[in-house]
Amino acid sequence: IGFRSIYPYAGYVISYLPFMIIFILLQKYYFKSIISSSWNMKNEFMNVPIFAGDGKVHFEERKIPTPGDNQLLIQAKANLLCGSDRNQFYNGSPKCIPGHEGAGVIVDKGKNAKFDIGMKGAVYLYDYCHKCRSCQLGLTNQCLHKNCDYGFNVDGAFCEYYLVNDYVFFPVDESVDVINATLLLDVMGTGGHATKRAQLIHKDIQSVLINGAGPIGLGLLAMSKLTFAKDLPVLINDVKSSRLPL
């Protein structure tokens, strides 16, 4: 696909433009206001974006949730744009507030919850059960009885504040900002998963070919170098030449 003409995809790209514009505005104004504000335990309400469908988003006031046992209250700081958000933008999201590639800061926690208030990190999309065959094997991305998917059936990272179970929170070092923390999820996580799957087929990986230098492709490039070797030959192509120097 890296060598195909971009023109057959023009209509598909154009259909994304309104969604991308709304997302940029959310990042510029909504998340900016969140980042500039400090947590105050007297706060009771927050503004949340309602994805009403047909490319329409409006805001409404809701009460800030209170964490239960083993839960963390996350103040959203960043959330990446994903192709799967497009469906929620155009068809609406009546069940919950979207956002499944988020990072933020712990501002409150429930009884027995791990981690300290003030820690920053990323939130894993899947709230897994710990008990099924996949979870017992450490394959939590293949959980057979997921509790929820953040941003798809429970409120996610487009909320100003949202609840997560502590075991899906991945803290990051102070040297890592929250925007880069989101890269640990679908961008770097998908790339790392791909390198492991490749080794199931061929244990001695001597070179890598990546078709597409978008976020996932660049994440795979980075993970290939980290997993195998810095001097591993990697060939990457894309229809957009400006991405290749990255």
Side-chain angles (χ1 to χ4, degrees):
I1 192 170
F3 295 106
R4 293 179 183 176
S5 168
I6 195 171
Y7 295 108
Y9 303 101
Y12 186 71
V13 172
I14 291 172
S15 71
Y16 265 94
L17 288 179
F19 175 44
M20 294 175 69
I21 292 171
I22 292 292
F23 180 79
I24 290 170
L25 292 174
L26 281 171
Q27 291 281 44
K28 185 175 181 180
Y29 297 107
Y30 178 59
F31 282 118
K32 184 178 180 180
S33 68
I34 294 173
I35 292 172
S36 63
S37 65
S38 59
W39 169 249
N40 185 336
M41 291 304 291
K42 295 181 180 179
N43 290 345
E44 293 184 9
F45 297 94
M46 61 179 174
N47 289 318
V48 298
I50 305 299
F51 284 57
D54 297 323
K56 297 177 181 179
V57 177
H58 65 270
F59 288 83
E60 72 176 33
E61 190 175 70
R62 290 187 181 178
K63 191 170 183 179
I64 296 173
T66 301
D69 289 356
N70 303 110
Q71 284 189 319
L72 305 172
L73 179 64
I74 304 297
Q75 183 184 27
K77 296 293 188 179
N79 184 74
L80 295 185
L81 175 65
C82 178
S84 56
D85 295 325
R86 180 178 182 272
N87 178 66
Q88 294 171 305
F89 180 65
Y90 283 110
N91 297 324
S93 179
K95 294 182 179 180
C96 66
I97 308 302
H100 63 275
E101 295 186 45
V105 175
I106 301 172
V107 293
D108 198 6
K109 66 177 187 176
K111 184 180 179 181
N112 299 320
K114 296 184 295 183
F115 309 119
D116 297 322
I117 293 175
M119 295 181 70
K120 60 183 178 179
V123 176
Y124 183 47
L125 160 65
Y126 300 125
D127 192 317
Y128 45 94
C129 73
H130 297 275
K131 300 176 182 179
C132 71
R133 178 180 180 276
S134 295
C135 286
Q136 291 295 310
L137 290 172
L139 305 173
T140 56
N141 63 309
Q142 299 176 36
C143 177
L144 300 174
H145 307 291
K146 290 184 292 184
N147 297 315
C148 68
D149 292 334
Y150 294 103
F152 287 103
N153 48 35
V154 298
D155 289 342
F158 277 126
C159 284
E160 194 172 354
Y161 301 95
Y162 64 111
L163 294 175
V164 302
N165 285 317
D166 58 4
Y167 51 82
V168 298
F169 182 80
F170 293 91
V172 297
D173 188 79
E174 282 300 315
S175 62
V176 180
D177 62 49
V178 287
I179 294 178
N180 285 327
T182 61
L183 300 178
L184 295 173
L185 303 168
D186 284 19
V187 175
M188 305 298 285
T190 302
H193 183 59
T195 59
K196 290 182 179 180
R197 287 180 64 87
Q199 291 177 86
L200 294 176
I201 299 173
H202 188 71
K203 292 185 178 181
D204 184 18
I205 304 295
Q206 300 180 19
S207 62
V208 174
L209 169 65
I210 302 172
N211 289 315
I216 299 299
L218 294 175
L220 178 55
L221 170 63
M223 291 306 297
S224 295
K225 295 288 187 176
L226 290 171
T227 303
F228 303 123
K230 288 185 177 180
D231 59 352
L232 178 81
V234 177
L235 176 64
I236 187 167
N237 60 67
D238 199 278
V239 296
K240 195 171 184 178
S241 60
S242 61
R243 288 179 173 175
L244 298 180
L246 296 174

